[in-house]
Amino acid sequence: MTNVQTFGLSREEALEMAKDALDGVLSVDIDNGFPIPAPAYTGGFPVEVSPKVAFAIELRKARADRPQKEVAAAAGMSYQQYQRLENPRKTNPTLETLWRLQKVFGRPFLAL
């Protein structure tokens, strides 16, 4: 992961800025096809990524080495539709899409 620095005038502002920075770095890494490391907490304050970034990462991990075209066909969608799902800036899966992906991968992508 790239070194990123940010700050805030308060703890809340600093955490919000850190979330924005982390979302940005992970989105760029996904766009460039870089591997996303597992989270590593070493102290301080944990920062959660946005749901769109988290979904794109989980979908990419579930796909592993399978081609996107293969997964798209198995889910009954176009290649372009599937590509958007792995793009954190464009992903916005419907419940129907989540259901289809759960069938393809044999695991849930939404836990309430």
Side-chain angles (χ1 to χ4, degrees), residues 48 51 54-55 58 93 95 98-99 102 107-112:
E48 291 185 14
F55 179 75
E58 284 302 310
L95 290 174
L98 290 171
W99 178 79
Q102 288 176 176
R107 67 175 282 252
F109 284 96
L110 180 65
L112 300 174

Side-chain angles (χ1 to χ4, degrees), residues 9 13 21 34 58 76-77 80 83 86 90 96-97 103:
L9 298 177
E13 185 182 26
F34 297 152
E58 284 302 310
M77 63 181 70
Q80 291 80 10
Q83 280 184 312
E86 283 194 20
K90 296 180 180 179
E96 176 74 21
T97 300
K103 292 257 192 209

Side-chain angles (χ1 to χ4, degrees), residues 11-109:
R11 176 179 165 201
E12 292 77 25
E13 185 182 26
L15 289 172
E16 186 62 32
M17 297 299 285
K19 181 185 179 313
D20 287 346
L22 182 60
D23 282 347
V25 167
L26 290 172
S27 294
V28 169
D29 285 354
I30 290 168
D31 286 347
N32 290 318
F34 297 152
I36 305 299
Y41 180 70
T42 59
F45 301 99
V47 176
E48 291 185 14
V49 297
S50 76
K52 289 185 173 197
V53 171
F55 179 75
I57 290 170
E58 284 302 310
L59 189 55
R60 190 172 160 195
K61 283 196 297 190
R63 182 174 56 84
D65 292 333
R66 291 173 71 180
Q68 287 180 331
K69 285 185 180 183
E70 178 185 311
V71 173
M77 63 181 70
S78 73
Y79 174 59
Q80 291 80 10
Q81 287 172 310
Y82 183 82
Q83 280 184 312
R84 281 193 299 273
L85 293 173
E86 283 194 20
N87 181 335
R89 292 181 191 96
K90 296 180 180 179
T91 193
N92 193 16
T94 63
L95 290 174
E96 176 74 21
T97 300
L98 290 171
W99 178 79
R100 288 178 181 198
L101 293 170
Q102 288 176 176
K103 292 257 192 209
V104 170
F105 294 114
R107 67 175 282 252
F109 284 96

